[in-house]
Every structure is written in C-alpha cells, then in structure tokens.
C-alpha cells in the first residue's frame, strides 16, 4: 500500500457523510417529535437548509487553502499565525472527548440489545474506537475504502426502514400539527444542531484530495444531499408511522424495521448504531490526527508530532497521542462513573468554538465569494447564539485557548534562547579563527 494515497470523490464523500451523519438519527426523531409534535419536521427542514451555507463556507475555504491544519489554517490565514494554535488546540484535544462520547452512544445501543449496562457500553465503545484507530493507522486508502462500504450499508439500511414502514403511515399522526406551539419548533431545531455538525472535522482532510478545487464542491454537494434525504426520510416516516405521543419509542428505527423483519430489528439497530458510530469516529480521527501533525509541523505542538504531516502520509505519532488521551478518558469514565451527558457537552462546547473561529475566518477570507461569505455570516450568527447556552462548560475551551497561548510563549522563549546560543557559538568560533590567524 502506498503511503502517498490521495482520496477521490467516492472516498471523500463517504468520509464526509460519516462525519455528519452520526448516531443522532437513531434517537433525535423521537426527541424532536416529543418536543414539537409533527411541526418538528419543520425544524428538520430548517436544519437541512442551515447545513447548506455552513457546508459551502467550509468547502470554499478548503478549496482555497487545502491543508491538514483545517480550521486552524483558515484562522491563521485570516487573523495571523498566532491564532492557529488556540484554534488547533480546541479541535485536537476535543477529538478524544467527542469520539469517546459518540462511541458510548453506539455502545449503549449494543449493550441494550444484549441486556448489558453502562460498563458494557464503555467496553463496546473501546472496541469501536480501537477499530477506528487501527483503520487510520493503516492509512486513508483502507480507512476511506472502509468508510465507503459502511456508509453504503447504512444508507441501504435507512432506506429499507423507510420503504418497509411507509405503508403503515397514518394521516392522523400529523394532526394537530403544532400541539406545543411554534416556539417548540425552535427548541427542536436547537436539539438538532449537532446532528448536522461535522463540517469542521472534515476540513482537515482538504489537503488529502488529489484535486481539491474540483473535488470538494462535488463531495460537499453529494454529502448535503445524502444527509438531507436520509435524515428527512427517516424523520418523516417515523412521524407518519409512529406519531408523536408521549409513549413514543426512543429508538424509532428499530420500530420501523420491525415492520419488515420482525423481532430481529433490535439486533439490526444495534449493528446500525455500531456502524454509524464507527463511521463518525473514523472521520473525526482521520481529520484530528492530520491536524495534530500540522500543528507539530508549525510548532504549535511539539515538533515531534509533525512527522507524517505531508499529503498522503500517515500521522502515526499524532494518532498515538489521540489514542492515549481517549484511553485515559474511557478509563476515567469507567472508574469515576462519568456519564455520557457531561462528556458530550464538553466536546460540543469545544467544537462550537471551532465553528466560531472557522466561520469568522470565512467571513474575512471569502470576500470574493458572495454566496460563501453570506452563508458564513448567517451561520456565524446562529452558532454564536448556541454558544451562549453552554454555561460553565465554556471553561474547557477557555482553558485550551489559555494552554495554547502559554505553549506559544514557551516555544517563542526557547526559540529565542536557541537563536542566542547559536549567535554566541558563532561568535566564539569567529574569535577562535581570529586568534589562530593572529598566532600564525
């Protein structure tokens, strides 16, 4: 296998879809239905529409500045090199937290199907994460190909669930259309926000395409269409078949599949959850590891991490760091009984901070693109509103920004000391040469 493999449209689309299409599709149709009733479908449609300008902004940035640094590179281009470290740290050190939370979600479905509890969820999460790290360790040729297979299987499963359940649709499930008022639609949209995230993760893969300017628009468009069709299809069919009553199941995909395959649907849903989880964490690890290598290359992390930062190379040192941090987090969750909610919220706070940085960079850098810049402005305003609701969890992104600034100061001081030493050594050498010449 060549280490210089570059990804094409098919593998790129699979990685992008895997990053955006998370396990939320297994639970969010039920959560939003309970919140806003049939009107929750309006929230789904709004989020699909909101996804377009965000995806367009990140695609435009990736086309102009394809690099493993992703959002950190965009921030540096827009606001100067000193901004790359804080932004890069926000994403890089949130990857272990975000992938762990996603893996625990998938693990919980598997544990539920097997009759296990939270310890089993953590065990399954560990297996899924190990598989994703091994996949990335072997390179994007395998990782991207595996992602393509998984996304294809998942899409087929979701389409099958819609097709077999659609004949059981009932018109009365759509009345009353807004039983909890239209304000509830806004709250449902807030719940859905993170179901449509992931564009910040795959921005770090922009440098891996053989022709980013030609391929990224195609990959982005295919991803938006795929995610929109699958999300809206499952959400609409779920509402039409299951309704929005208080006894609504929290795992609607299982009930939809039961229409066609009976009691084995629970096992199939568990497998789907595991595959969805793997697809998501695989894409985040692929992007995060390349970001770490880019930060090492630029001196925003220890330079030893820079090995493997070239396009098509495998950033194994960065992967080892991420894998170690993930293992520590899972061990802490097991020993201290840390549940999913705080882990997921902590990761989300960091990822939204990354969105703010990336979209702010897009507002400045995309001045020549009317559509891209307008989309960035609208998206930035919406993300800023969401950011305010994280409360004390904002301490985490603040601490990472502070840590990055401290590291920058330390690196600058050591670089200055090294430069001074080099000057003194050069002066001493010149003095010795002069003395030798005089003695001669």
């Amino acid at each position: 296998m060549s280490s210089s493999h570059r990804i094409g449209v098919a593998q790129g689309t699979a990685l992008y879809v895997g990053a955006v299409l998370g396990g939320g599709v297994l639970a969010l149709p039920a959560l939003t239905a309970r919140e806003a009733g049939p009107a929750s479908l309006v929230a789904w449609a709004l989020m699909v529409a909101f996804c377009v300008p965000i995806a367009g902004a990140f695609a435009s940035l990736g086309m102009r500045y394809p690099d493993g640094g992703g959002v950190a590179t965009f921030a540096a281009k827009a606001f100067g090199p000193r901004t790359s470290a804080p932004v890069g740290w926000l994403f890089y050190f949130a990857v272990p937290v975000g992938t762990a939370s996603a893996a625990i979600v998938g693990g919980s479905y598997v544990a539920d199907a097997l009759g296990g509890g939270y310890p089993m969820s953590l065990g399954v999460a560990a297996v899924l994460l190990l598989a994703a790290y091994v996949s990335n360790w072997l390179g994007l040729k395998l990782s991207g190909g595996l992602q393509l297979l998984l996304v294809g299987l998942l899409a087929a499963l979701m389409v099958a669930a819609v097709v077999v359940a659609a004949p059981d649709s009932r018109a009365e499930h759509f009345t009353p259309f807004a039983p909890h008022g239209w304000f509830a639609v806004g709250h449902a949209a807030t719940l859905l926000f993170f179901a449509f995230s992931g564009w910040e993760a795959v921005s770090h893969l922009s440098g891996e395409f053989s022709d980013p300017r030609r391929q990224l628009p195609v990959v982005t468009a295919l991803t938006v269409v795929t995610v929109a069709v699958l999300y809206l299809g499952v959400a609409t069919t779920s509402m039409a078949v299951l309704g929005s009553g208080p006894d609504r199941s929290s795992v609607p995909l299982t009930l939809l599949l039961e229409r066609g395959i009976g009691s084995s649907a629970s096992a199939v849903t568990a497998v789907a959850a595991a595959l969805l989880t793997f697809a998501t964490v695989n894409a985040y690890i692929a992007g995060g590891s390349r970001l770490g290598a880019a930060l090492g290359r630029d001196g925003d992390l220890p330079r030893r991490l820079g090995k493997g930062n070239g396009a098509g190379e495998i950033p194994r040192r960065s992967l080892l760091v991420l894998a170690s941090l993930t293992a520590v987090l899972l061990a802490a969750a097991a020993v201290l009984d840390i549940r999913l909610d705080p882990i997921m919220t902590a990761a989300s706070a960091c990822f939204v901070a990354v969105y703010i940085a990336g979209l702010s960079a897009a507002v400045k850098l995309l001045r020549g693109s009317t559509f891209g810049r307008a989309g960035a402005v609208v998206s930035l305003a919406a993300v800023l509103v969401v950011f305010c609701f994280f409360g004390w969890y904002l301490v985490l992104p603040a601490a990472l920004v502070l840590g990055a600034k401290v590291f920058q100061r330390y690196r600058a001081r050591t670089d200055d000391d090294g430069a001074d030493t080099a000057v003194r050594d050069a002066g001493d050498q010149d003095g010795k040469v002069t003395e030798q010449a005089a003695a001669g």
Side-chain angles (χ1 to χ4, degrees), residues 343-381:
I343 300 175
M344 184 176 290
T345 306
S348 298
C350 293
F351 290 142
V352 173
V354 172
Y355 262 89
I356 291 172
L359 293 171
S360 297
V363 170
K364 184 172 183 180
L365 295 174
L366 299 180
R367 289 177 177 170
S369 172
T370 303
F371 173 76
R373 192 162 188 259
V377 170
V378 172
S379 303
L380 178 60

Tab-separated table of all heavy atoms in Angstrom, residues 343-381:
chain	number	residue	atom	x	y	z
A	343	ILE	N	-19.754	14.389	29.093
A	343	ILE	CA	-18.700	14.173	28.097
A	343	ILE	C	-19.093	14.804	26.767
A	343	ILE	O	-18.322	15.523	26.128
A	343	ILE	CB	-18.429	12.664	27.921
A	343	ILE	CG1	-17.982	12.038	29.232
A	343	ILE	CG2	-17.368	12.432	26.843
A	343	ILE	CD1	-17.820	10.529	29.167
A	344	MET	N	-20.330	14.546	26.351
A	344	MET	CA	-20.802	15.066	25.072
A	344	MET	C	-20.894	16.593	25.087
A	344	MET	O	-20.523	17.262	24.114
A	344	MET	CB	-22.159	14.461	24.734
A	344	MET	CG	-22.703	14.856	23.373
A	344	MET	SD	-24.255	14.002	22.979
A	344	MET	CE	-23.645	12.329	22.745
A	345	THR	N	-21.362	17.151	26.188
A	345	THR	CA	-21.498	18.608	26.270
A	345	THR	C	-20.138	19.290	26.252
A	345	THR	O	-19.955	20.340	25.619
A	345	THR	CB	-22.263	19.002	27.546
A	345	THR	OG1	-23.514	18.308	27.584
A	345	THR	CG2	-22.532	20.503	27.566
A	346	ALA	N	-19.150	18.692	26.931
A	346	ALA	CA	-17.801	19.262	26.937
A	346	ALA	C	-17.219	19.285	25.531
A	346	ALA	O	-16.622	20.291	25.092
A	346	ALA	CB	-16.908	18.463	27.880
A	347	ALA	N	-17.383	18.188	24.806
A	347	ALA	CA	-16.884	18.141	23.431
A	347	ALA	C	-17.608	19.154	22.552
A	347	ALA	O	-16.986	19.857	21.744
A	347	ALA	CB	-17.059	16.731	22.865
A	348	SER	N	-18.916	19.257	22.723
A	348	SER	CA	-19.712	20.172	21.904
A	348	SER	C	-19.287	21.619	22.112
A	348	SER	O	-19.235	22.407	21.161
A	348	SER	CB	-21.200	20.009	22.228
A	348	SER	OG	-21.638	18.705	21.917
A	349	ALA	N	-18.968	21.981	23.355
A	349	ALA	CA	-18.537	23.355	23.632
A	349	ALA	C	-17.275	23.688	22.844
A	349	ALA	O	-17.145	24.791	22.293
A	349	ALA	CB	-18.296	23.528	25.131
A	350	CYS	N	-16.352	22.733	22.771
A	350	CYS	CA	-15.115	22.970	22.017
A	350	CYS	C	-15.379	23.030	20.517
A	350	CYS	O	-14.843	23.891	19.810
A	350	CYS	CB	-14.103	21.865	22.318
A	350	CYS	SG	-13.486	21.869	24.010
A	351	PHE	N	-16.216	22.120	20.027
A	351	PHE	CA	-16.486	22.092	18.593
A	351	PHE	C	-17.224	23.350	18.129
A	351	PHE	O	-16.974	23.859	17.034
A	351	PHE	CB	-17.291	20.840	18.226
A	351	PHE	CG	-16.499	19.562	18.334
A	351	PHE	CD1	-17.088	18.403	18.811
A	351	PHE	CD2	-15.163	19.526	17.973
A	351	PHE	CE1	-16.356	17.224	18.908
A	351	PHE	CE2	-14.424	18.353	18.069
A	351	PHE	CZ	-15.025	17.196	18.538
A	352	VAL	N	-18.148	23.858	18.952
A	352	VAL	CA	-18.837	25.094	18.579
A	352	VAL	C	-17.857	26.264	18.565
A	352	VAL	O	-17.935	27.152	17.706
A	352	VAL	CB	-20.015	25.372	19.535
A	352	VAL	CG1	-20.631	26.730	19.253
A	352	VAL	CG2	-21.084	24.301	19.368
A	353	ALA	N	-16.900	26.262	19.504
A	353	ALA	CA	-15.860	27.302	19.495
A	353	ALA	C	-15.042	27.233	18.202
A	353	ALA	O	-14.671	28.259	17.619
A	353	ALA	CB	-14.954	27.148	20.714
A	354	VAL	N	-14.777	25.995	17.733
A	354	VAL	CA	-14.064	25.825	16.465
A	354	VAL	C	-14.904	26.359	15.310
A	354	VAL	O	-14.388	27.023	14.396
A	354	VAL	CB	-13.717	24.339	16.242
A	354	VAL	CG1	-13.145	24.132	14.843
A	354	VAL	CG2	-12.725	23.860	17.290
A	355	TYR	N	-16.212	26.109	15.343
A	355	TYR	CA	-17.103	26.644	14.315
A	355	TYR	C	-17.031	28.162	14.280
A	355	TYR	O	-16.997	28.781	13.207
A	355	TYR	CB	-18.546	26.216	14.596
A	355	TYR	CG	-18.996	25.023	13.803
A	355	TYR	CD1	-18.811	23.737	14.296
A	355	TYR	CD2	-19.607	25.173	12.570
A	355	TYR	CE1	-19.225	22.631	13.578
A	355	TYR	CE2	-20.030	24.068	11.843
A	355	TYR	CZ	-19.835	22.799	12.354
A	355	TYR	OH	-20.234	21.712	11.631
A	356	ILE	N	-17.029	28.773	15.452
A	356	ILE	CA	-16.978	30.234	15.509
A	356	ILE	C	-15.705	30.738	14.844
A	356	ILE	O	-15.719	31.696	14.055
A	356	ILE	CB	-17.068	30.707	16.972
A	356	ILE	CG1	-18.469	30.430	17.528
A	356	ILE	CG2	-16.735	32.199	17.087
A	356	ILE	CD1	-18.606	30.689	19.011
A	357	ALA	N	-14.567	30.089	15.146
A	357	ALA	CA	-13.299	30.501	14.546
A	357	ALA	C	-13.308	30.292	13.036
A	357	ALA	O	-12.891	31.177	12.268
A	357	ALA	CB	-12.156	29.712	15.188
A	358	GLY	N	-13.785	29.127	12.597
A	358	GLY	CA	-13.790	28.836	11.171
A	358	GLY	C	-14.709	29.748	10.379
A	358	GLY	O	-14.342	30.237	9.307
A	359	LEU	N	-15.901	29.995	10.910
A	359	LEU	CA	-16.847	30.857	10.201
A	359	LEU	C	-16.416	32.319	10.242
A	359	LEU	O	-16.661	33.069	9.300
A	359	LEU	CB	-18.245	30.687	10.796
A	359	LEU	CG	-18.876	29.306	10.560
A	359	LEU	CD1	-20.157	29.150	11.370
A	359	LEU	CD2	-19.167	29.093	9.068
A	360	SER	N	-15.767	32.739	11.340
A	360	SER	CA	-15.217	34.101	11.396
A	360	SER	C	-14.136	34.267	10.337
A	360	SER	O	-14.060	35.312	9.662
A	360	SER	CB	-14.640	34.376	12.784
A	360	SER	OG	-15.636	34.326	13.777
A	361	ALA	N	-13.295	33.230	10.178
A	361	ALA	CA	-12.273	33.273	9.129
A	361	ALA	C	-12.918	33.329	7.751
A	361	ALA	O	-12.452	34.051	6.862
A	361	ALA	CB	-11.362	32.057	9.250
A	362	ALA	N	-14.012	32.574	7.573
A	362	ALA	CA	-14.689	32.573	6.278
A	362	ALA	C	-15.250	33.950	5.936
A	362	ALA	O	-15.188	34.384	4.789
A	362	ALA	CB	-15.818	31.540	6.290
A	363	VAL	N	-15.786	34.655	6.937
A	363	VAL	CA	-16.329	35.993	6.703
A	363	VAL	C	-15.244	36.913	6.143
A	363	VAL	O	-15.497	37.730	5.245
A	363	VAL	CB	-16.912	36.568	8.005
A	363	VAL	CG1	-17.264	38.046	7.828
A	363	VAL	CG2	-18.156	35.788	8.424
A	364	LYS	N	-14.010	36.754	6.645
A	364	LYS	CA	-12.917	37.627	6.203
A	364	LYS	C	-12.284	37.153	4.902
A	364	LYS	O	-11.938	37.959	4.034
A	364	LYS	CB	-11.846	37.714	7.287
A	364	LYS	CG	-10.721	38.682	6.948
A	364	LYS	CD	-9.789	38.901	8.122
A	364	LYS	CE	-8.718	39.930	7.772
A	364	LYS	NZ	-7.794	40.168	8.910
A	365	LEU	N	-12.126	35.838	4.744
A	365	LEU	CA	-11.375	35.311	3.614
A	365	LEU	C	-12.199	35.161	2.343
A	365	LEU	O	-11.643	35.142	1.245
A	365	LEU	CB	-10.769	33.957	3.982
A	365	LEU	CG	-9.714	33.959	5.094
A	365	LEU	CD1	-9.323	32.525	5.444
A	365	LEU	CD2	-8.486	34.750	4.666
A	366	LEU	N	-13.512	35.039	2.474
A	366	LEU	CA	-14.351	34.756	1.309
A	366	LEU	C	-15.001	36.014	0.750
A	366	LEU	O	-16.142	35.982	0.274
A	366	LEU	CB	-15.432	33.728	1.674
A	366	LEU	CG	-14.916	32.366	2.138
A	366	LEU	CD1	-16.076	31.441	2.479
A	366	LEU	CD2	-14.020	31.734	1.081
A	367	ARG	N	-14.295	37.116	0.804
A	367	ARG	CA	-14.874	38.372	0.326
A	367	ARG	C	-15.172	38.342	-1.162
A	367	ARG	O	-16.047	39.041	-1.642
A	367	ARG	CB	-13.921	39.526	0.652
A	367	ARG	CG	-13.867	39.832	2.147
A	367	ARG	CD	-12.869	40.908	2.472
A	367	ARG	NE	-12.894	41.240	3.898
A	367	ARG	CZ	-11.995	42.012	4.505
A	367	ARG	NH1	-11.003	42.537	3.810
A	367	ARG	NH2	-12.096	42.265	5.792
A	368	GLY	N	-14.449	37.535	-1.916
A	368	GLY	CA	-14.701	37.448	-3.348
A	368	GLY	C	-15.828	36.508	-3.707
A	368	GLY	O	-16.200	36.410	-4.876
A	369	SER	N	-16.365	35.810	-2.711
A	369	SER	CA	-17.451	34.851	-2.958
A	369	SER	C	-18.710	35.327	-2.243
A	369	SER	O	-18.810	35.218	-1.023
A	369	SER	CB	-17.042	33.459	-2.448
A	369	SER	OG	-18.124	32.564	-2.495
A	370	THR	N	-19.647	35.858	-2.990
A	370	THR	CA	-20.861	36.405	-2.379
A	370	THR	C	-21.635	35.340	-1.618
A	370	THR	O	-22.032	35.533	-0.467
A	370	THR	CB	-21.769	37.027	-3.455
A	370	THR	OG1	-21.039	38.037	-4.157
A	370	THR	CG2	-23.010	37.640	-2.820
A	371	PHE	N	-21.834	34.186	-2.255
A	371	PHE	CA	-22.600	33.121	-1.614
A	371	PHE	C	-21.862	32.588	-0.387
A	371	PHE	O	-22.454	32.425	0.680
A	371	PHE	CB	-22.852	31.982	-2.596
A	371	PHE	CG	-23.497	30.784	-1.967
A	371	PHE	CD1	-24.849	30.795	-1.661
A	371	PHE	CD2	-22.754	29.657	-1.672
A	371	PHE	CE1	-25.454	29.686	-1.066
A	371	PHE	CE2	-23.343	28.548	-1.082
A	371	PHE	CZ	-24.696	28.566	-0.784
A	372	GLY	N	-20.556	32.329	-0.542
A	372	GLY	CA	-19.788	31.775	0.564
A	372	GLY	C	-19.737	32.706	1.757
A	372	GLY	O	-19.923	32.279	2.902
A	373	ARG	N	-19.542	34.004	1.509
A	373	ARG	CA	-19.434	34.959	2.615
A	373	ARG	C	-20.788	35.178	3.272
A	373	ARG	O	-20.891	35.247	4.512
A	373	ARG	CB	-18.881	36.288	2.115
A	373	ARG	CG	-18.477	37.235	3.244
A	373	ARG	CD	-17.553	38.326	2.727
A	373	ARG	NE	-17.017	39.113	3.819
A	373	ARG	CZ	-17.459	40.317	4.181
A	373	ARG	NH1	-18.475	40.854	3.526
A	373	ARG	NH2	-16.911	40.969	5.173
A	374	ALA	N	-21.850	35.286	2.495
A	374	ALA	CA	-23.188	35.470	3.070
A	374	ALA	C	-23.572	34.265	3.925
A	374	ALA	O	-24.121	34.414	5.024
A	374	ALA	CB	-24.211	35.675	1.955
A	375	GLY	N	-23.265	33.078	3.425
A	375	GLY	CA	-23.543	31.882	4.204
A	375	GLY	C	-22.764	31.851	5.492
A	375	GLY	O	-23.283	31.433	6.547
A	376	ALA	N	-21.516	32.305	5.446
A	376	ALA	CA	-20.687	32.329	6.654
A	376	ALA	C	-21.240	33.305	7.683
A	376	ALA	O	-21.237	33.019	8.889
A	376	ALA	CB	-19.254	32.704	6.286
A	377	VAL	N	-21.732	34.460	7.236
A	377	VAL	CA	-22.292	35.455	8.154
A	377	VAL	C	-23.534	34.913	8.853
A	377	VAL	O	-23.677	35.010	10.084
A	377	VAL	CB	-22.627	36.763	7.397
A	377	VAL	CG1	-23.425	37.704	8.291
A	377	VAL	CG2	-21.350	37.442	6.918
A	378	VAL	N	-24.440	34.318	8.085
A	378	VAL	CA	-25.670	33.767	8.653
A	378	VAL	C	-25.347	32.635	9.627
A	378	VAL	O	-25.883	32.567	10.743
A	378	VAL	CB	-26.604	33.261	7.530
A	378	VAL	CG1	-27.789	32.519	8.117
A	378	VAL	CG2	-27.083	34.429	6.677
A	379	SER	N	-24.453	31.756	9.229
A	379	SER	CA	-24.096	30.619	10.072
A	379	SER	C	-23.414	31.067	11.349
A	379	SER	O	-23.668	30.521	12.434
A	379	SER	CB	-23.171	29.669	9.298
A	379	SER	OG	-23.773	29.231	8.102
A	380	LEU	N	-22.537	32.051	11.242
A	380	LEU	CA	-21.827	32.550	12.420
A	380	LEU	C	-22.786	33.128	13.447
A	380	LEU	O	-22.654	32.881	14.657
A	380	LEU	CB	-20.795	33.610	12.000
A	380	LEU	CG	-19.996	34.268	13.124
A	380	LEU	CD1	-19.203	33.228	13.911
A	380	LEU	CD2	-19.062	35.340	12.565
A	381	ALA	N	-23.772	33.882	12.984
A	381	ALA	CA	-24.751	34.466	13.904
A	381	ALA	C	-25.504	33.374	14.663
A	381	ALA	O	-25.709	33.459	15.883
A	381	ALA	CB	-25.725	35.358	13.135
